């Protein structure tokens, strides 16, 4: 079978779920409101499964966000957190796409729910509610079974990136939302007795074609459209480039005290929450809530808006600088994550061109020091525009870049083991 032919099981499920609505109309005399309701809930189910799938995606897309203070830290993380039993490991680098999907998806879902509300503006009868429930149960069973079998049982998560896992529901939301909008216009138009048949043909036929076309382009590794560049596919998703680490035991292994790492992460998270662009929106929301409902409401709104960003920044900081150990080999420093069980970065002795030791507030509180190793690394500014699916990715993870070793009890041990004390004395 050709590489660009969709999986037959997925095609069968798509056809079966799309037959639910015409069968209901023909056999159970469903109304247009019921038809809309089933389609909207199917979108919500597909979107919900996409959010479930994102954390487990083992690959990543070809895009880069190196300069972001939040997404950039997550993007560079390698390794995963093991889960109990048969549950696949979770990849922390997928948190920003998960957050983005959790924000974008509900906005689009609200739009299609609003269209459903317009069609069912007069309410639904008990019979229509029961019909919607029957259609929902059928669609949920078919869609959930196929998603679970393909992604978790058959190991589809190993081939997906977070972006490619989110692509199907995103395109479905846009495509079906457009169909629903057109159907609303047709439903509201004066087309005589054939209006219902036109709406039925438009929704059922259009939805089936959209789903089948989505499977077709998902299986086509040579597609180069805008959505392919935005989300990629299983063919263009890549495994992160591994960090080269010598065999054998390191000469010196050091890491930050856990208490200092936790306090540092929380402090960085709070600073980010107060200095990021979201602060403006949180302030506007808090001001409005304060004018309407008083000071407690303002504080609650500000907390709700800022807390996710503070927590995400704190988690990124802890995973990058807290849950790590620094392994010094002969002329080589390797940063290894103790939580993700994977090497994160490296720096060779000959790449170091500056050494400095500093103390911030956390260092003073925990009697530690922060070691800065300067290096002339390659340019990391991403090219403007969407990534090319054909371009071979290069993380540059093994390149000599500046490294910050935060909150160490004895940074001198790293300096001596790496053999760069003469640089520190020269710069002193």
């Amino acid at each position: 079978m050709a590489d660009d032919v969709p999986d037959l099981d997925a095609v069968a499920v798509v056809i079966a779920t799309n037959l639910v609505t015409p069968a209901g109309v023909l056999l159970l005399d469903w109304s247009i409101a019921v038809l809309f309701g089933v389609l909207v809930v199917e979108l919500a189910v597909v979107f919900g499964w996409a959010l479930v799938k994102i954390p487990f995606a083992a690959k990543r897309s070809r895009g880069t966000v190196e300069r972001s203070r939040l997404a950039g830290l997550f993007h560079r993380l390698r390794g995963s957190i093991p889960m109990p039993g048969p549950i696949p490991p979770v990849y922390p680098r997928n948190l920003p796409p998960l957050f983005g999907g959790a924000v974008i998806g509900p906005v689009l879902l609200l739009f299609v729910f609003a269209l459903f509300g317009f069609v069912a503006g007069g309410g639904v009868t008990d019979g229509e509610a029961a019909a919607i429930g029957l259609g929902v149960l059928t669609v949920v069973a078919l869609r959930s079974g196929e998603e679970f079998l393909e992604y978790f049982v058959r190991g589809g998560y190993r081939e997906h990136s977070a972006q490619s896992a989110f692509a199907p529901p995103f395109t479905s939301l846009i495509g079906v939302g457009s169909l629903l909008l057109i159907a609303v216009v047709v439903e509201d138009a004066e087309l005589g007795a054939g209006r219902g048949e036109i709406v039925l043909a438009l929704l059922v036929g259009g939805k089936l074609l959209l789903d089948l076309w989505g499977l077709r382009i998902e299986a086509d590794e040579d597609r180069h459209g805008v959505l392919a560049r935005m989300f990629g596919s299983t063919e263009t998703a890549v495994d992160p480039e591994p960090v080269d680490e010598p065999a054998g035991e390191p000469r010196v292994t050091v890491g930050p005290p856990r208490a200092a790492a936790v306090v540092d992460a929380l402090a960085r998270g709070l600073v980010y929450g107060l200095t990021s662009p979201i602060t403006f929106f949180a302030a506007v929301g808090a001001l409005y809530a304060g004018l309407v409902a008083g000071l407690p409401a303002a504080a609650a709104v500000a907390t709700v808006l800022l807390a996710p960003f503070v927590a995400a920044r704190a988690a990124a900081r802890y995973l990058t600088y807290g849950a790590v150990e620094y392994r010094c080999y002969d002329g080589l420093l390797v940063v290894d994550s103790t939580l993700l069980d994977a090497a994160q970065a490296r720096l060779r002795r000959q790449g170091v061109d500056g050494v400095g030791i500093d103390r911030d507030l956390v260092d003073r509180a925990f009697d530690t020091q922060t070691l800065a190793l300067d290096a002339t690394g390659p340019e990391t500014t991403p090219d403007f525009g969407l990534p090319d699916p054909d371009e071979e990715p290069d993380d540059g993870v093994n390149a000599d870049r500046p490294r910050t070793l935060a909150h160490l009890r004895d940074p001198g041990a790293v300096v001596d083991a790496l053999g760069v004390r003469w640089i520190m004395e020269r710069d002193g």
Side-chain angles (χ1 to χ4, degrees):
M1 184 177 294
D3 291 339
D4 59 353
V5 175
D7 181 74
L8 293 181
D9 290 344
V11 172
V13 170
V14 163
I15 294 176
T17 54
N18 279 278
L19 286 177
V20 170
T21 47
V25 171
L26 296 175
L27 302 178
L28 303 176
D29 196 26
W30 284 2
S31 66
I32 297 298
V34 174
L35 180 61
F36 267 56
V38 174
L39 289 177
V40 169
V41 172
E42 182 182 357
L43 285 178
V45 170
V46 173
F47 167 73
W49 268 105
L51 293 185
V52 171
K53 290 158 61 176
I54 285 175
F56 305 98
K59 294 187 177 182
R60 68 169 182 79
S61 65
R62 295 174 186 242
T64 178
V65 284
E66 290 288 328
R67 292 299 181 93
S68 170
R69 284 196 294 164
L70 181 57
L73 291 179
F74 281 109
H75 179 81
R76 289 190 290 269
L77 290 173
R78 282 157 172 75
S80 59
I81 300 175
M83 294 286 105
I87 303 175
V90 169
Y91 293 82
R93 66 170 174 270
N94 294 334
L95 182 59
L98 176 64
F99 182 75
V103 172
I104 296 173
V107 173
L108 296 176
L109 279 175
L110 283 175
F111 171 72
V112 295
F113 271 109
L115 294 177
F116 171 69
F118 177 82
V119 172
V124 294
T125 65
D126 291 341
E128 288 177 330
I132 291 176
L134 176 62
V136 166
L137 288 176
T138 305
V139 168
V140 168
L142 289 172
R143 283 288 190 179
S144 297
E146 192 270 337
E147 294 280 5
F148 180 79
L149 181 65
E150 178 63 29
Y151 199 78
F152 293 102
V153 176
R154 295 178 179 172
Y157 64 89
R158 299 188 184 96
E159 305 301 324
H160 271 283
S161 69
Q163 288 80 359
S164 66
F166 186 67
F170 181 81
T171 53
S172 293
L173 280 170
I174 293 178
V176 177
S178 301
L179 282 177
L180 292 176
L181 183 59
I182 296 172
V184 166
V185 175
V186 174
E187 172 71 7
D188 198 45
E190 300 196 10
L191 299 177
R195 181 178 58 185
E197 287 78 5
I198 295 175
V199 173
L200 175 63
L202 176 66
L203 290 180
V204 175
K207 172 68 163 47
L208 177 60
L209 289 176
L210 281 173
D211 286 346
L212 292 177
W213 181 247
L215 292 177
R216 172 65 177 80
I217 63 176
E218 184 180 3
D220 184 1
E221 63 183 77
D222 296 321
R223 63 194 179 99
H224 301 285
V226 173
L227 290 178
R229 291 171 180 265
M230 287 177 61
F231 296 108
S233 67
T234 55
E235 297 294 337
T236 60
V238 295
D239 289 308
E241 181 183 352
V243 176
D244 294 335
E245 183 173 5
E249 293 298 319
R251 294 176 56 188
V252 171
T253 301
V254 298
R258 177 167 298 180
V262 170
V263 171
D264 170 78
L266 293 175
R268 299 281 181 158
L270 289 172
V271 170
Y272 179 80
L274 296 175
T275 59
S276 66
I278 192 62
T279 307
F280 171 77
F281 298 101
V284 172
L287 179 61
Y288 177 78
L291 294 175
V292 172
L295 186 59
V301 168
T303 300
V304 168
L305 292 176
L306 288 177
F309 294 90
V310 171
R313 169 63 175 172
R317 175 74 182 185
Y318 182 76
L319 290 171
T320 304
Y321 297 102
V324 296
E325 62 182 18
Y326 303 102
R327 300 176 177 178
C328 296
Y329 298 89
D330 185 18
L332 178 67
L333 170 70
V334 176
V335 183
D336 189 87
S337 173
T338 56
L339 183 61
L340 305 180
D341 192 27
Q344 304 295 307
R346 53 177 259 157
L347 175 61
R348 298 175 303 156
R349 174 193 300 156
Q350 54 267 41
V352 178
D353 59 12
V355 179
I357 294 179
D358 196 10
R359 303 186 75 195
D360 59 16
L361 293 177
V362 175
D363 285 317
R364 294 187 181 95
F366 290 92
D367 192 24
T368 58
Q369 295 175 305
T370 294
L371 175 64
L373 299 173
D374 293 330
T376 305
E379 176 60 42
T380 60
T381 304
D383 294 332
F384 179 77
L386 297 172
D388 184 352
D390 278 343
E391 183 180 354
E392 286 300 321
D394 181 14
D395 286 351
V397 69
N398 290 301
D400 296 320
R401 304 180 190 272
R403 306 294 176 196
T404 298
L405 286 60
H407 315 308
L408 301 181
R409 295 288 190 196
D410 184 14
V414 176
V415 173
D416 291 333
L418 195 56
V420 294
R421 181 168 289 277
W422 68 273
I423 299 178
M424 185 174 69
E425 293 174 348
R426 181 200 66 187
D427 298 340

